[in-house]
Amino acid sequence: MKTQAQLKQEVAQAAFDYVRGRVGDKAVLGIGTGSTANCFIDLLAGIKAQIDATVASSEASAERLRSHGIPVLDLNAVDGVDIYIDGADEANAALELVKGGGGALTREKIVAAVAREFVCIADESKLVARLGAFPLPVEVIPMARSHVGRELLKLGADPVYRQGVLTDNGNIIIDAHGLQVLDARTLEERINNITGVVCNGLFARRPADLLLLAGQGGVRTLRAG
Ligand code: 5RP
């Protein structure tokens, strides 16, 4: 029986092979955040001479990339992102995701929005029939904490302030527990419309294009649609 750590390593290797086969010189890679993305970053170190540029979805990933000698650019310094590789907390068959367990959801959503192709990498425990068992992370301007909490209550969530966490953007995270995610796209827009919300961890308006999913039998490829 493979452990979850082994599955993460396996799916990172599959993403590495996929990326190597698709990008030519001058490609800009978007790099996600979390333990699965970290496995991918460590593999990239082996081909750093061939990497023109990366853009990172968090300070932690940027630091890890730089520690390997891999160039990291500001998103505003590149014309586009060819492929974005990142993990997820949950994914459904439509490749809609819940992200932000590591608190990097806003930058992740920005890089995903710019990327021509978004490849999500995960172990099979992340594939769910319906999103929402994982508490939905919501990034919030600090002074709006109570207001946003009350609005999330109205949506049927149990909002929990993530104590002691400040995002790379200087904001707080509220985790919305117990949400019924029947229509992920509508809910994503509704939560984003609460004043004081910077962004929420539903990736439905911009889902992944490809999901690489590692299980006991190997790595499966799921496409949207
Ligand atoms: C960070 C994220 C991560 O992609 C998500 O939490 C999955 O992390 P891991 O690969 O460690 O399971 O959204 O904000």
Side-chain angles (χ1 to χ4, degrees):
M1 182 89 172
K2 291 175 203 162
T3 63
Q4 193 181 34
Q6 286 170 325
L7 294 177
K8 288 181 179 191
Q9 188 60 47
E10 227 171 78
V11 79
Q13 181 65 54
F16 177 75
D17 296 341
Y18 180 81
V19 166
R20 216 160 39 155
R22 284 181 73 88
V23 299
D25 289 341
K26 306 286 172 208
V28 177
L29 298 182
I31 308 295
T33 300
S35 55
T36 319
N38 282 346
C39 296
F40 180 73
I41 292 172
D42 295 347
L43 288 167
L44 280 185
I47 56 159
K48 65 181 172 200
Q50 294 159 47
I51 299 173
D52 193 49
T54 64
V55 165
S57 69
S58 64
E59 297 297 337
S61 291
E63 210 171 286
R64 195 175 186 103
L65 286 158
R66 288 198 187 98
S67 75
H68 287 307
I70 299 170
V72 183
L73 296 182
D74 187 284
L75 185 60
N76 296 307
V78 298
D79 290 331
V81 173
D82 294 290
I83 303 188
Y84 175 44
I85 308 288
D86 199 0
D89 299 301
E90 283 184 341
N92 66 16
L95 307 199
E96 296 169 332
L97 313 171
V98 169
K99 291 183 49 54
L105 58 154
T106 300
R107 293 188 186 198
E108 291 172 341
K109 205 173 267 199
I110 294 168
V111 179
V114 173
R116 280 186 267 283
E117 186 177 11
F118 176 11
V119 178
C120 182
I121 54 175
D123 68 86
E124 63 188 356
S125 70
K126 307 289 183 72
L127 185 65
V128 295
R130 182 186 289 177
L131 302 174
F134 190 91
L136 180 70
V138 183
E139 179 163 352
V140 175
I141 302 285
M143 73 173 287
R145 187 178 90 199
S146 301
H147 168 67
V148 172
R150 286 189 292 267
E151 293 300 308
L152 288 171
L153 272 174
K154 288 184 199 163
L155 292 178
D158 175 16
V160 177
Y161 170 47
R162 213 184 279 184
Q163 292 279 352
V165 171
L166 268 192
T167 70
D168 286 346
N169 314 308
N171 298 312
I172 60 154
I173 300 275
I174 295 177
D175 291 303
H177 291 246
L179 271 174
Q180 291 277 334
V181 186
L182 301 176
D183 175 348
R185 198 186 161 108
T186 302
L187 187 62
E188 179 180 0
E189 288 168 359
R190 201 152 167 204
I191 295 175
N192 279 347
N193 276 339
I194 300 171
T195 303
V197 167
V198 177
C199 145
N200 72 83
L202 278 170
F203 283 56
R205 287 190 307 170
R206 201 297 180 231
D209 300 305
L210 199 70
L211 172 61
L212 300 179
L213 201 66
Q216 295 301 328
V219 177
R220 283 193 285 153
T221 302
L222 280 74
R223 287 177 195 278

